[in-house]
Amino acid sequence: MFKSKTFDNLTTTELYEIIKSRTEVFLLEQSIVCQDLDDMDYKSLHCFIEENGRVIAYLRAFMEDSETGTVKVGRVLTLDHGKGIGRELMKKSLEEIKKTFNCSKIHINSQKHAVGFYEKFGLKTCSDEFLEEGVVHISMEYTI
């Protein structure tokens, strides 16, 4: 089931499951060692898919620059790959982001291997490759 909530509307169980899934993917699966709890969650829209009480797909979005109307999307994950869960998450999340934020642009720092996935949703590459937390990324944007 897809859900979209602000931080204050998350239940403690939902927040726990979000953090558990982020840790599983970014720390355990991808070996990214960073301060995941960076205070941006407080001002983020949290979009996720639950299955049997478990967060199996997740992303967060927040206003990165109100002057340009740019929303930043990050912490994108799925626990199961190749089952269409990521497509469902992105499709529904982009709709929610457009409804929630007065934005004209959506920005994401994509891991290099995921660029083709985001291109399917209209995001376009807008940078050269760069390292973020030891992983090659490329900035992408979607103009609304």
Side-chain angles (χ1 to χ4, degrees):
M1 167 191 278
F2 176 81
K3 294 182 179 181
S4 172
K5 295 185 174 189
T6 61
F7 183 84
D8 291 336
N9 290 319
L10 291 170
T11 67
T12 54
T13 301
E14 289 168 335
L15 180 59
Y16 183 88
E17 290 298 324
I18 287 167
I19 293 168
K20 187 165 76 173
S21 292
R22 285 176 16 181
T23 300
E24 184 175 329
V25 170
F26 299 120
L27 181 62
L28 300 178
E29 181 182 313
Q30 297 182 357
S31 300
I32 298 172
V33 180
C34 70
Q35 178 61 22
D36 180 43
L37 302 177
D38 59 2
D39 293 331
M40 299 310 292
D41 290 315
Y42 291 120
K43 66 178 193 171
S44 293
L45 179 66
H46 300 268
C47 299
F48 55 101
I49 296 175
E50 279 184 330
E51 184 177 272
N52 299 321
R54 187 80 206 272
V55 171
I56 61 168
Y58 170 84
L59 65 76
R60 72 177 184 186
F62 57 88
M63 185 58 73
E64 181 177 46
D65 185 342
S66 57
E67 286 185 29
T68 63
T70 303
V71 168
K72 173 109 183 234
V73 171
R75 304 292 198 269
V76 183
L77 67 88
T78 58
L79 296 184
D80 253 343
H81 306 292
K83 295 186 177 179
I85 299 165
R87 279 191 305 278
E88 179 185 352
L89 174 72
M90 281 303 295
K91 181 179 181 290
K92 291 179 177 177
S93 296
L94 289 173
E95 292 168 8
E96 287 296 314
I97 290 166
K98 291 175 195 176
K99 284 194 286 191
T100 303
F101 296 98
N102 181 21
C103 62
S104 57
K105 191 182 293 183
I106 296 172
H107 173 249
I108 189 167
N109 288 341
S110 169
Q111 291 185 6
K112 184 179 177 182
H113 70 86
V115 167
F117 171 77
Y118 294 117
E119 286 174 336
K120 294 174 186 170
F121 297 94
L123 282 97
K124 299 194 183 325
T125 299
C126 62
S127 79
D128 291 330
E129 295 177 2
F130 60 94
L131 281 180
E132 185 173 64
E133 304 300 342
V135 178
V136 178
H137 281 72
I138 296 172
S139 287
M140 300 184 79
E141 290 183 348
Y142 174 79
T143 302
I144 297 170

